[in-house]
């Protein structure tokens, strides 16, 4: 019911910034809570950030608190992840994900709760 396409990743030096975007198809973007995840090598996808369908509630994984900011523009069917003060350990493929929600304040930190996934965008942080 929704397709997600990430963009905005690339190569950046330690301490640099990127803005990742996730564009969603469909008419009902505003019903979806959105999340960003990144897998470690050989591991399942780890939670990075999430935002409720209205944008009123957000959550972050401890390693990115204070450095990353998730936001959304429902009029543009887009969710963003601003990544600042990047570290080499932030290097990963970043995936956005969507799950329909009945509550405007709800979001999930669990990858298994999400029904739709983008193809991912690579962020590489070098010294």
């Amino acid at each position: 019911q929704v397709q997600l396409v990430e963009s905005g990743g690339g190569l950046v030096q330690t301490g640099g910034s990127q803005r990742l975007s996730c564009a969603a198809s469909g008419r009902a973007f505003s019903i979806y809570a959105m999340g960003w995840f990144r897998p470690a090598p050989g591991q399942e996808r780890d939670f990075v950030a999430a935002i409720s369908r209205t944008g009123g509630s957000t959550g972050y994984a401890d390693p990115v608190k204070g450095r990353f900011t998730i936001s959304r523009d429902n009029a543009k069917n887009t969710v963003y992840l601003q990544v600042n003060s990047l570290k080499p350990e932030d290097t990963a493929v970043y995936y956005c994900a969507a799950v329909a929600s009945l509550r405007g304040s709800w979001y999930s930190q669990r990858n298994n709760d999400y029904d739709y996934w983008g193809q991912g965008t690579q962020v590489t942080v070098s010294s």
Side-chain angles (χ1 to χ4, degrees):
Q1 194 169 8
V2 61
Q3 293 182 334
L4 307 174
V5 180
E6 300 97 333
S7 62
L11 177 64
V12 65
Q13 291 183 333
T14 297
S17 299
Q18 296 269 6
R19 189 180 74 160
L20 312 183
S21 298
C22 177
S25 66
R27 303 177 183 179
F29 179 68
S30 63
I31 75 171
Y32 295 102
M34 303 293 296
W36 287 94
F37 294 79
R38 62 187 187 187
Q43 300 293 115
E44 69 179 57
R45 295 171 185 177
D46 291 330
F47 170 74
V48 176
I51 189 166
S52 65
R53 55 184 283 189
T54 65
S57 299
T58 59
Y60 299 92
D62 286 342
V64 308
K65 287 181 180 177
R67 299 190 297 120
F68 291 9
T69 303
I70 189 171
S71 62
R72 67 191 295 160
D73 186 339
N74 286 351
K76 296 183 177 180
N77 281 16
T78 302
V79 63
Y80 304 97
L81 186 67
Q82 180 69 39
V83 295
N84 298 330
S85 301
L86 286 165
K87 305 173 182 179
E89 52 262 45
D90 295 319
T91 295
V93 178
Y94 285 73
Y95 295 87
C96 69
V99 56
S101 177
L102 296 175
R103 295 187 178 275
S105 61
W106 179 87
Y107 63 85
S108 177
Q109 300 182 18
R110 299 172 57 87
N111 56 10
N112 287 342
D113 285 340
Y114 289 84
D115 296 316
Y116 305 98
W117 293 84
Q119 85 288 352
T121 186
Q122 176 73 48
V123 174
T124 303
V125 185
S126 64
S127 61

